[in-house]
Amino acid sequence: MLKHLIAILGLALLCGAWVGFQRWLKRVDPDGRHIESGCGGCGGHCKTSAPAHGRQRPQ
């Protein structure tokens, strides 16, 4: 049981470190086009498609 707990905590630490690294990278290189966050990452020129249930997304 202790081995499983250590493995889960290690994975959580690794994921947290990855998020921290991505935030640091975005702060160091804010113009990096390979890092996009949310809908605003493309500069507003993204095409939106209708969801599967048929309603249009607001623009």
Side-chain angles (χ1 to χ4, degrees), residues 3-19:
K3 288 182 182 181
H4 294 288
L5 184 60
I6 291 172
I8 290 171
L9 290 175
L11 185 59
L13 181 64
L14 184 65
C15 289
W18 181 252
V19 169

Side-chain angles (χ1 to χ4, degrees), residues 5 9 11 13 22 29 36 49-50 55:
L5 184 60
L9 290 175
L11 185 59
L13 181 64
Q22 291 294 319
D29 187 17
E36 296 181 0
S49 61
R55 287 192 275 169

Side-chain angles (χ1 to χ4, degrees), residues 19-32 34-38 40-41:
V19 169
F21 173 72
Q22 291 294 319
R23 288 184 178 183
W24 173 80
L25 192 60
K26 186 174 182 178
R27 188 174 60 237
V28 171
D29 187 17
D31 295 330
H34 58 280
I35 302 172
E36 296 181 0
S37 61

